[in-house]
Amino acid sequence: MTRTACVKSLLFSLLLFFLPTAAFAAAGPIDLTSTTTGLVALVVFTLAYILVMGEEKLHLRKSKPVLVAAGIIWVLIGISYVANGMPDEAEGAFRHTLLEFSELMLFLLVAMTYINALEERRVFDALRAWLVRKGFSYRSLFWITGGLAFVISPIADNLTTALLMCAVVMKVAEGHGRFINLCCINIVIAANAGGAFSPFGDITTLMVWQAGIVKFNEFFTLLIPSLVNYLIPAIIMSFFVQQHKPETAYEAVEMKRGARRIIVLFLLTIASAVACHSLLHLPPVLGMMTGLGYLQFFGYFLRRTLPKSLERKRAIALQKGDEEALNRLGGIVPFDVFNRVARAEWDTLLFFYGVVVCVGGLGYMGYLHMLSTTLYTDLGATYANIFLGLASSVIDNIPVMFAVLTMEPEMSHGHWLLITLTAGVGGSVLSIGSAAGVALMGQARGYYTFMGHLKWAPVILLGYFASIATHMWLNAASFHVMG
C-alpha cells in the first residue's frame, strides 16, 4: 500500500469529526463524541491508518496498527461505560461487532483457501500459459484480459483476478510500458466492475449480502451497470492500443491432479452458501464452512490415492521415454488442505478485523450518526451514495461500506444497490482506490503508476457516472421499494 493512501484515514476521520451531532440508533446510550475519550479515539484511529498507508516505506504489516487501535478504542469505551455503571452495554456492543466480523472472516477464509488450492494445482498458471501461446495481438490481448477479469472476478475476487491477468500482460508485452499501463488500468476497472455484481467479487458486496440487505439474485440487477462501467473506458482506451502482434512465447504448464474437481467443489461450495442463505435463512458462512469440509475430504482422497496415481503416470512416462515427466513426478507432494489454509491472506483478514472493530467502536461512540445525518439527511441518499463511491477511491471502501451498514440509513432498495455499485467501482478512479490497483502497482512496478492511471481518470469517471445513470434507469422501480 502506498503512502498516498494516508489521505484515506485523514479525510475519513476529519469527516467524522466535523459533522453535526444527531440521535442515531447505531450509537451507544452515552454520547462520547464531544468528550476527551472520543477525541483520543479519533486520533488513535487516524494515527493507525497513517501507519497502514506507510506500509511500503516502514515495512510494517498493515494489520498491526489497526489491531492495536481497535483494542485502545474499545478499552476507552469500556472505561467510560464502567465509570457510568453500564459495563454490560459495552460488552454486548463489542460482542455484536465481533460476531459480524467472525462470519465474514470465516467466509473469506474458505474462499481464500479454495483460491490457494486452485493456485497450487496450477489452474491459473495453465490459463496464463494458454493465453500466451495463442499469440493474440495487443488489442486482442487488451480485450481478452479485461473481459476475463470482468468474468472471473465475480467468483475468484477482484484482487486474485487482477494479479492473474497482469501476469499474462507482463509475460507477453515485456518492455512495452505504454501498453502494460493501459492494460493494467483496464484490468483494474474490469476486476472492480465484475466484483460489484456478485457477493463473492469483493469484501464490500459480501458484507452487504451477509447483512441480508441485498439477496443473492438481486446483485445481478447490477450486471448491466457494471458492464457499462467497464466498457465505456475500455472502448475509449482501446483506440490507443496498437494492433501489433507480440512474439509468441511458449510455456508448458500442466495442471496438477484434481484441479478440475476442485473447481467443481468450489462451485458446489458457493451453491451451498447460497442455498443456506436463500432457502434456509441461515448464515451463508455455514455453507462455506461445509464446503471447506468438501475440500478436506477430497484432499484425503488425493493423498490416499497418490501412490497408485504416481505408479500409473510413471509407467506411462517410461513407455514414452519422457524423462522430463519422470522428473516432475519426483517433485510431487501430497495435497494438504491445512497448508492452503495457512497460506490465506492472514494480514488482510486481521487488517479487516481491526478496521471493522475500530469503525464499530467509533460508531458506538456516536460518530457515525453524524455522518448519517449530514450525508443521508442533508444531501439525500442518491448524492450521498455517489459521494461515498467517489470517496472510496481515497478512503478504503471497507470502512466506508461498514460505516454505511452500521448507520443503516433509511433508504430504498434501489439506493442500497446504488451504494453497493458505487463502493465497488468507485475505487477504479485512482490506482490506490482498490486492492487490485495497489497490487498491480507492485506487480508491474515502473510500468503501471499512480500518474499513469490518473491521466485516464476523466474517462474512468465517465464510466462511473454512466453506470449510475444506467442503474437508475434500468432499476427505477427499486427506488420506490424500501430496503
Side-chain angles (χ1 to χ4, degrees):
M1 196 174 287
T2 62
R3 68 180 184 277
T4 318
C6 69
V7 181
K8 295 182 176 188
S9 173
L10 288 171
L11 289 183
F12 183 59
S13 300
L14 290 173
L15 186 62
L16 289 171
F17 180 73
F18 288 111
L19 294 176
T21 58
F24 184 66
I30 303 175
D31 183 3
L32 298 174
T33 55
S34 56
T35 65
T36 302
T37 298
L39 295 178
V40 169
L42 273 181
V43 171
V44 167
F45 179 68
T46 302
L47 290 175
Y49 234 86
I50 290 173
L51 290 175
V52 166
M53 306 320 164
E55 181 183 14
E56 279 192 355
K57 296 292 183 183
L58 300 173
H59 302 289
L60 178 73
R61 289 192 175 274
K62 60 182 178 290
S63 60
K64 295 178 181 179
V66 290
L67 285 173
V68 174
I72 293 172
I73 288 171
W74 277 95
V75 165
L76 291 172
I77 292 172
I79 292 171
S80 297
Y81 275 76
V82 167
N84 284 274
M86 292 187 289
D88 293 340
E89 295 283 343
E91 180 189 5
F94 177 77
R95 288 186 184 277
H96 177 73
T97 302
L98 184 63
L99 178 62
E100 288 185 2
F101 164 76
S102 299
E103 290 186 13
L104 286 165
M105 187 210 72
L106 291 174
F107 192 107
L108 289 169
L109 181 62
V110 176
M112 287 177 176
T113 300
Y114 265 101
I115 295 302
N116 286 334
L118 293 174
E119 186 179 13
E120 190 271 340
R121 295 286 101 176
R122 306 201 72 185
V123 172
F124 299 132
D125 289 338
L127 175 60
R128 187 193 71 232
W130 178 82
L131 286 169
V132 170
R133 285 197 306 270
K134 287 297 179 180
F136 296 109
S137 69
Y138 281 144
R139 187 168 292 179
S140 296
L141 194 64
F142 175 87
W143 281 108
I144 289 169
T145 53
L148 284 174
F150 185 85
V151 171
I152 297 173
S153 61
I155 300 173
D157 87 69
N158 52 6
L159 176 58
T160 301
T161 304
L163 290 172
L164 169 63
M165 292 299 109
C166 182
V168 174
V169 173
M170 294 291 289
K171 181 78 174 179
V172 176
E174 187 175 358
H176 292 75
R178 186 167 175 269
F179 173 71
I180 292 173
N181 183 64
L182 275 176
C183 266
C184 286
I185 297 169
N186 188 47
I187 289 167
V188 168
I189 297 169
N192 289 337
F197 70 89
S198 165
F200 302 91
D202 191 71
I203 292 179
T204 54
T205 54
L206 176 60
M207 291 164 73
V208 174
W209 183 45
Q210 288 264 78
I213 292 171
V214 178
K215 296 178 181 177
F216 184 84
N217 60 301
E218 291 173 339
F219 280 94
F220 296 103
T221 60
L222 296 176
L223 171 59
I224 302 301
S226 297
L227 192 59
V228 168
N229 178 269
Y230 158 58
L231 285 177
I232 287 181
I235 290 171
I236 296 172
M237 287 190 296
S238 68
F239 290 111
F240 295 85
V241 178
Q242 296 176 333
Q243 278 283 24
H244 295 284
K245 203 170 184 180
E247 293 182 9
T248 305
Y250 291 93
E251 182 184 2
V253 175
E254 180 183 350
M255 287 193 298
K256 293 182 181 180
R257 177 169 165 261
R260 293 180 180 85
R261 282 171 285 183
I262 290 177
I263 294 174
V264 173
L265 287 175
F266 189 26
L267 295 175
L268 181 60
T269 297
I270 292 172
S272 299
V274 173
C276 282
H277 193 61
S278 302
L279 302 179
L280 304 177
H281 303 286
L282 293 169
V285 68
L286 174 64
M288 292 299 287
M289 292 301 290
T290 305
L292 183 60
Y294 305 158
L295 187 60
Q296 286 181 308
F297 268 109
F298 185 63
Y300 173 78
F301 167 79
L302 287 178
R303 289 195 303 276
R304 295 285 295 187
T305 57
L306 179 63
K308 289 184 178 179
S309 175
L310 285 176
E311 285 179 16
R312 186 169 60 253
K313 289 183 178 180
R314 186 171 283 108
I316 294 172
L318 286 170
Q319 187 177 1
K320 292 182 177 179
D322 190 346
E323 292 186 10
E324 188 177 337
L326 283 171
N327 291 332
R328 287 200 304 269
L329 287 172
I332 289 179
V333 295
F335 180 78
D336 185 355
V337 173
F338 289 105
N339 195 322
R340 298 303 100 202
V341 173
R343 291 177 63 87
E345 288 287 336
W346 284 101
D347 184 51
T348 298
L349 290 172
L350 292 175
F351 168 72
F352 185 35
Y353 162 84
V355 168
V356 167
V357 174
C358 281
V359 174
L362 293 175
Y364 196 66
M365 285 182 167
Y367 285 109
L368 290 184
H369 78 266
M370 299 179 180
L371 187 62
S372 177
T373 300
T374 297
L375 292 180
Y376 288 97
T377 302
D378 298 345
L379 284 180
T382 300
Y383 290 112
N385 291 332
I386 293 172
F387 167 77
L388 288 174
L390 291 173
S392 71
S393 66
V394 181
I395 304 168
D396 193 84
N397 62 353
I398 293 174
V400 168
M401 181 56 79
F402 186 74
V404 174
L405 290 172
T406 305
M407 291 186 292
E408 279 191 284
E410 188 176 340
M411 56 184 179
S412 68
H413 199 64
H415 284 113
W416 278 109
L417 288 169
L418 178 61
I419 186 58
T420 302
L421 174 68
T422 57
V425 303
S428 300
V429 176
L430 298 177
S431 61
I432 61 167
S434 65
V438 172
L440 262 57
M441 280 195 294
Q443 190 176 20
R445 190 181 300 276
Y447 296 109
Y448 173 56
T449 63
F450 177 83
M451 293 306 298
H453 190 109
L454 186 64
K455 286 191 294 186
W456 294 94
V459 173
I460 301 169
L461 280 170
L462 185 62
Y464 176 76
F465 286 108
S467 66
I468 293 170
T470 303
H471 166 58
M472 297 184 74
W473 172 54
L474 288 178
N475 305 313
S478 64
F479 285 87
H480 302 292
V481 179
M482 294 307 293

